[in-house]
Amino acid sequence: MAKKLMKGAEAIGEAAIRAGCRLFFGYPITPQNEIPEYLSHRLPQVGGTFVQAESEVAASNMLYGAAGTGERVFTSSSSPGISLMQEAISYMAGSQLPVVIVNIMRAGPGLGGILPAQGDYLQSTKGGGHGDYRLLVLAPNSVQEAADLVIEAFDLADYYRNPVLVVGDGLIGQMMEPVEFKDDYAPVRPLPPKTWASTGHTGGEKPRSIINSLFLDPEVLEKHNQALQAKYAEMEKNEIRYEGYGLDGDYDVLIVAYGTVARVCQTAMEELEADGVRVAMIRPISLYPYPSQAVREAAEKASGVLVVELSAGQMIEDVRLALEGRRPIHFHGRTGGMLATPEEIVDKVRRIVEGRGGKS
Amino acid sequence: MIQTVFQKPDSLASVITHYCPGCTHGVIHRMVGEVLDELGVRDRTVGVSPVGCSVLAYNYFETDFHEASHGRAPAVATGIKRARPDLIVFAYQGDGDLASIGMGEIIHCANRGEKITVIFVNNAIYGMTGGQMAPTTMPNQVATTCPMGRDVEQAGWPIRMAELVSALRTPAYVARASSHSPLHTVQAKAMIRRAFQYQVEGTCFSMVEVLSTCPTNWGLPPNEADRWLEEQMMPYYPLGVFKTPDGRDRAPKPLPADE
Ligand SMILES: Cc1ncc(C[n+]2csc(CCOP(=O)(O)OP(=O)(O)O)c2C)c(N)n1
Ligand code: SF4
């Protein structure tokens, strides 16, 4: 298919359809309404089902039910709505159901504001709901990457039988960029048959399927937890994704940033390089599993590290864990829906180079 | 010659349940199991169990099952039915589950007219957590969180779910039955059968509220619990069909108390 100019939200909706998803359950919230709106007219065209639920609590539980039948299912929301979905997300992780969830993050806490933010990093990567579980978390920085990752998210969800969360910010949802969808979509890897799905017991031909996260026997529940942890370990082995910018050259400062903020950092890097400041960047694409080793190796070539986020400092905790004190870590963050500008980042990097980078 | 005249429905598993002696959850399971057998839909049925004493219902039915979080069974059932309209989907819920934490889910599920069946077990108490006040607890009824009895000034009046759900404009089948005596179970089973029949035909949402006993948390022997249900609950929760999908809302027809 030729490239087409698309709004991020529409590209995300279309990507779900290209991935074979025919079921969407959601509840309106700015700044992601264009995703459900797009799917409310597109899904019926392809024989799919769109349900506007009465709340995110209901939407996420509809997702839980529908995923139990083995069909590909999808929801999208924004921060306050994602908070309401945490109960069902924990149940889906516990029952090992493949679902894809998009969070177009907005500024918080509380009702916060509707402008872009990255304040849900910890919620996304460290749990969010109750219990020991992990989501596979992917963070695109462009409309094309958002579309590609959403399509892949369905495969990853099926492969691992685990919820996959794609996080973007309001910019990803609202930007218009050229997108290309492949004509023939095929899974990137062979996917296991969904023998676990509850689709009726067919006269004993198929063993009874129970979609469940309740295990009253502590020994059984611990075994279940161990199986989940083994699965997360496999994700940590196979699903690390990141992009490097100038990592092969020599540099004094390494920037770590994800999502659209990384694009602002790229602009800043151009200006710095023109001025002879040696700077490189690593952009985590998988937030869980976190590319810790790549960040550490890249940081070891620099004398200082700058983490840039649209939050008061959340991913920086993973950078600290990755670096284990090997390099000083500086931070530049904006909150409330304010965007980091290239000028701010240029200024911050210069000060780091001059040894005035502030607390680390 | 030995002849089998009575046996367990195929839709029920051959296991011993964890329900307390005299609890009518088991009676209600049996009625549902018989109906699934009679309609021949067991192989394509998916049940949704709640959080409450019937949380383990998935062990007691010989059908596929889905364990929901507290109160969300109607949303989970919606997801299953929308994904696979060919399946027969039922939610089995207690009164704390359906009428308290899950009030939003049941009302909107009914209002969307989801073609599922809800079996709503009203025992006027939170059984599983140890006898706390439910939204259906009777005025002055003692519970562990209303040790002086339910004060309607503070807690409001018990919620009549069948009446509430039948007030929605969307066509539905809504009825209330009881499970405390053989006579009442005959009526209850007929209603449950009709509720599933409507789903099989793809007609409408259906819900049967079944009055049920909780001897353990009511602090009564089973026979006295049956009497308490009849004397205390039935006058407030009249039995009958409240709504049929043809659009005619019917007045409930209470059974004579001494029948
Ligand atoms: C979110 C959440 N809140 C509270 C509970 C605790 N809880 C478990 S069962 C229950 C009440 C069940 O009562 P009911 O629905 O009336 O069913 P019964 O046990 O009487 O059959 C509660 C409050 C829970 N499991 N999850
Ligand atoms: S606690 Fe009450 S509702 Fe629960 S099994 Fe016992 S009698 Fe039945």
Side-chain angles (χ1 to χ4, degrees), chain A residues 39-241:
Chain A
L39 287 169
S40 69
H41 84 85
R42 266 296 273 148
L43 275 168
Q45 289 173 356
V46 293
T49 300
F50 170 90
V51 180
Q52 179 169 326
E54 66 270 26
S55 67
E56 290 87 352
V57 172
S60 52
N61 280 284
M62 291 174 187
L63 204 68
Y64 174 51
T69 68
E71 301 292 322
R72 288 195 155 181
V73 298
F74 180 45
T75 192
S76 66
S77 187
S78 178
S79 310
I82 296 288
S83 289
L84 272 186
M85 292 184 179
Q86 293 303 331
E87 178 195 44
I89 291 174
S90 169
Y91 274 68
M92 292 188 282
S95 326
Q96 305 202 68
L97 291 184
V99 299
V100 175
I101 302 162
V102 165
N103 180 7
I104 302 295
M105 293 185 278
R106 58 187 251 183
L111 199 48
I114 58 170
L115 294 174
Q118 295 180 322
D120 303 346
Y121 179 92
L122 292 174
Q123 183 199 53
S124 307
T125 59
K126 309 293 177 193
H130 57 285
D132 273 328
Y133 73 89
R134 296 289 187 161
L135 307 180
L136 223 156
V137 186
L138 304 171
N141 76 336
S142 68
V143 173
Q144 179 70 57
E145 194 175 60
D148 292 343
L149 288 179
V150 165
I151 292 182
E152 211 180 330
F154 281 96
D155 287 349
L156 292 169
D158 280 349
Y159 184 78
Y160 289 104
R161 283 188 63 188
N162 205 67
V164 177
L165 179 65
V166 179
V167 294
D169 54 47
L171 292 175
I172 285 283
Q174 300 301 322
M175 273 189 305
M176 280 192 91
E177 286 187 329
V179 197
E180 189 174 359
F181 287 104
K182 280 187 245 127
D183 280 328
D184 49 343
Y185 162 76
V188 288
R189 65 184 88 186
L191 299 174
K194 295 180 174 176
T195 48
W196 47 265
S198 62
T199 53
H201 171 41
T202 55
E205 276 169 36
K206 169 176 141 335
R208 233 150 62 74
S209 150
I210 299 169
I211 306 296
N212 183 27
S213 60
L214 176 69
F215 303 92
L216 289 170
D217 179 338
E219 278 182 32
V220 176
L221 182 52
E222 185 171 56
K223 281 219 169 65
H224 174 63
N225 268 287
Q226 286 163 350
L228 292 179
Q229 294 302 321
K231 182 167 85 173
Y232 305 148
E234 203 195 322
M235 288 183 198
E236 287 184 9
K237 215 167 69 207
N238 302 334
E239 305 307 336
I240 302 277
R241 284 142 212 253

Side-chain angles (χ1 to χ4, degrees), chain B residues 118-180:
Chain B
V118 176
I119 306 298
F120 166 40
V121 179
N122 177 0
N123 60 10
I125 202 126
Y126 283 16
M128 189 194 214
T129 37
Q132 295 83 5
M133 181 177 69
T136 46
T137 293
M138 297 302 297
N140 302 317
Q141 182 187 339
V142 170
T144 57
T145 48
C146 53
M148 310 304 282
R150 181 186 186 130
D151 175 1
V152 294
E153 290 296 321
Q154 298 280 335
W157 285 78
I159 300 177
R160 295 176 169 129
M161 283 309 299
E163 286 85 337
L164 203 57
V165 172
S166 62
L168 299 168
R169 172 66 187 79
T170 307
Y173 175 73
V174 182
R176 184 185 288 117
S178 184
S179 59
H180 72 290

Side-chain angles (χ1 to χ4, degrees), chain A residues 54 64 200-201 203 208-209 211, chain B residues 43 58 61 63-65 67:
Chain A
E54 66 270 26
Y64 174 51
H201 171 41
R208 233 150 62 74
S209 150
I211 306 296
Chain B
D43 289 352
Y58 56 77
F61 286 94
T63 66
D64 279 5
F65 244 84
E67 211 301 297

